[in-house]
Amino acid sequence: MEAPPPDSAASPPNWLRHSRFDDAQAIFSGTLFVAIAMMLFAQAGLLTGGTAGVAFILHYATGVSFGKLFFLVNLPFYWFAWRHMGRAFTIKTFSAIALLSVMTDWAPRYLSIGLLHPAFAAVLGGLMLGTGCLFLARHRASLGGATVLTLYLQEKRGWPAGKVQIGIDCTVVLFALFVIPPERVGWSVVAAVVMGLFLWVNHKPGRYAAT
């Protein structure tokens, strides 16, 4: 028997349901965490996996802002999310992606870091990226691309989201060898592993019941 789609799953008690305000603050907070992680990566010359990694590669290759490229790269994934993850998930994901695109373009005007070692950027950025994605996942949202796929595979196939995320992210990061120095690629792989391990440990089906 097929599992019910996300939007029609068995309803939890009212006190476990997220209100619109709950969702809004989680999407804003999670996206802000991710935006700061993207700033750390950009300043250290690193990148991440998934569609964000693709946007970073295109950014380093063309000079077009990461925010604009990230929004455009994610456009094909809205159809997949709408069909397989439901309307509410897709709307929240679109909102998070649009917000992140704006934040990453505007945040450097208000935050500057004078000294940043790639190792520190990799570890802190990976943790902040994982934390932000966890906020979003627990409120049935994502940042598109690989995250949509990993959440879908975890719900439908039982594949751990963290493991799948590590595989996808490391694959994308390795393609960056054509754009950035190998040392930076190495630190980017560290960031991808840190994020994936964080999600692997903290994002497990049934651990968080609210919806």
Side-chain angles (χ1 to χ4, degrees), residues 119-133:
F120 186 83
V123 174
L124 179 59
L127 289 174
M128 294 193 71
L129 190 56
T131 302
C133 288

Side-chain angles (χ1 to χ4, degrees), residues 32-63:
L32 181 60
F33 270 58
V34 174
I36 295 174
M38 295 297 102
M39 287 182 58
L40 294 175
F41 290 158
Q43 182 163 335
L46 310 183
L47 69 157
T48 185
T51 50
V54 174
F56 261 125
I57 293 174
L58 293 174
H59 165 65
Y60 291 139
T62 66

Side-chain angles (χ1 to χ4, degrees), residues 55-143:
F56 261 125
I57 293 174
L58 293 174
H59 165 65
Y60 291 139
T62 66
V64 177
S65 75
F66 168 84
K68 294 183 179 66
L69 291 170
F70 181 69
F71 184 82
L72 293 174
V73 168
N74 272 290
L75 289 178
F77 292 94
Y78 295 129
W79 173 85
F80 180 89
W82 186 279
R83 180 169 181 178
H84 295 285
M85 303 297 287
R87 181 179 62 181
F89 178 89
T90 305
I91 292 173
K92 293 177 187 177
T93 294
F94 178 85
S95 300
I97 291 172
L99 186 59
L100 180 62
S101 298
V102 173
M103 283 184 174
T104 52
D105 278 353
W106 280 77
R109 305 181 186 185
Y110 304 101
L111 176 63
S112 177
I113 301 174
L115 176 64
L116 181 62
H117 191 280
F120 186 83
V123 174
L124 179 59
L127 289 174
M128 294 193 71
L129 190 56
T131 302
C133 288
L134 186 61
F135 284 177
L136 295 172
R138 286 183 169 178
H139 287 258
R140 296 209 50 75
S142 79
L143 288 170

